[in-house]
Amino acid sequence: MARFLHLSDLHVVPEGQLVSSQLDTARLLRLAIDTLTTRLDAIGPVDAVLVTGDISDDGSTESYEIARRDLMRLGHRLLVVPGNHDGRETFRAAFSDLPEMRPTGLIDWIADIGDTRVIGLDTLIEGKGGGVLRDESLALLSEALSTAGGRQTLVALHHPPLQTGLRFMDAIGLENPNALRIVLDQHDAPVRVLAGHVHGVYHGLLGRHPVVTAPSCCSAFALDLREDAPVGFMTGPTGCALIDTGAGGVWTELPLRHGEGPFRF
Ligand SMILES: [Fe+2]
């Protein structure tokens, strides 16, 4: 088994700046990591921290320096894929010391953590909100699945291969979810697809393969499925997720704000 903390959509900007004139995302990340550091005693050991993109909001070097400094405070191995707000080259430079990071090209990788294979896929189209899986990434995925040897397998990407019903987010979703499904269908490896981008928890199926998205550390989108739903974000709920790939292990959400307690029954 292996246990992963799954963070997504940090949207960090340089100190002194706010996202959309509202969110001090550098501060929100600092507070999130403070909370998680405290909670790790109760949650138990974690083998790696997986971050599915939009680590930065503006792709700036300074935003990555801030994000990286805070993520490193968790004291665990980091696995990162870029999202639509990231800049591929500044992202690569910020995390160039991670063993999976390639010096050029797409930021796709394979990492074996305990008995679990994690496959990170780069869906970033710079300058666009939507994402795509290119042939090169799908080939790497196919190769990684065929050599997985029956291991539990996680596929991590920013854009989920799901329609959430949030119209303004579905409009900037993954262009080719079927291409992903076709590759997954060709292999027997038990696969879970993990994504971000939609700033909330959505469970769904891509064919027979479960897909789940993690909440964002900084903001959320209200569940409003009307055609004229207002476009915009909420300041919460924020959170992340914990994934245990062992037999009987579960996926659970970790909210970043808690109620009072525990009180005796
Ligand atoms: Fe995104």
Side-chain angles (χ1 to χ4, degrees):
M1 60 84 83
R3 305 181 91 213
F4 299 86
L5 210 48
H6 178 190
L7 276 63
S8 202
D9 298 271
L10 319 180
H11 287 274
V12 173
V13 284
E15 293 288 354
Q17 294 184 26
L18 300 176
V19 171
S20 303
S21 312
Q22 289 289 334
L23 295 175
D24 184 348
T25 47
R27 176 172 172 274
L28 289 167
L29 177 61
R30 189 168 67 243
L31 295 175
I33 302 296
D34 287 349
T35 301
L36 290 172
T37 304
T38 318
R39 297 271 296 145
L40 276 175
D41 279 349
I43 295 164
V46 165
D47 297 295
V49 175
L50 170 68
V51 192
T52 49
D54 286 359
I55 290 179
S56 168
D57 193 67
D58 62 2
S60 65
T61 297
E62 190 183 341
S63 65
Y64 289 118
E65 282 167 2
I66 294 167
R68 186 193 155 94
R69 196 165 57 231
D70 270 316
L71 290 168
M72 288 301 192
R73 286 202 289 129
L74 290 168
H76 291 291
R77 182 162 172 184
L78 268 185
L79 300 169
V80 294
V81 290
N84 53 295
H85 281 265
D86 290 304
R88 188 174 283 111
E89 295 315 317
T90 43
F91 183 102
R92 189 196 313 280
F95 298 104
S96 60
D97 61 326
L98 301 186
E100 296 77 25
M101 190 60 69
R102 298 164 161 194
T104 58
L106 296 177
I107 300 178
D108 298 324
W109 45 260
I110 303 165
D112 290 326
I113 309 288
D115 65 356
T116 301
R117 171 154 289 191
V118 191
I119 304 162
L121 300 176
D122 180 339
T123 54
L124 166 62
I125 307 168
E126 290 201 74
K128 283 196 167 186
V132 71
L133 282 167
R134 299 162 182 87
D135 290 347
E136 180 188 334
S137 302
L138 294 166
L140 176 133
L141 172 64
S142 187
E143 170 69 16
L145 291 172
S146 54
T147 56
R151 273 177 277 212
Q152 288 288 324
T153 304
L154 304 175
V155 174
L157 74 176
H158 180 67
H159 296 84
L162 289 178
Q163 294 279 295
T164 59
L166 304 175
R167 284 160 201 269
F168 65 90
M169 289 309 291
D170 288 345
I172 55 166
L174 184 66
E175 280 180 19
N176 55 345
N178 270 341
L180 175 59
R181 184 182 55 75
I182 289 165
V183 175
L184 297 181
D185 280 350
Q186 287 165 348
H187 299 272
D188 293 330
V191 174
R192 274 175 272 199
V193 180
L194 306 176
H197 189 52
V198 290
H199 293 221
V201 177
Y202 294 85
H203 291 261
L205 288 171
L206 179 68
R208 60 186 159 89
H209 313 285
V211 179
V212 61
T213 61
S216 159
C217 293
C218 71
S219 66
F221 302 129
L223 185 66
D224 188 333
L225 306 178
R226 293 171 295 185
E227 210 160 309
D228 59 348
V231 177
F233 62 88
M234 312 287 288
T235 57
T238 56
C240 60
L242 184 72
I243 299 130
D244 185 326
T245 61
V250 295
W251 184 104
T252 189
E253 185 180 3
L254 287 171
L256 286 168
R257 282 189 213 108
H258 289 274
E260 302 296 312
F263 300 106
R264 290 178 68 90
F265 293 112

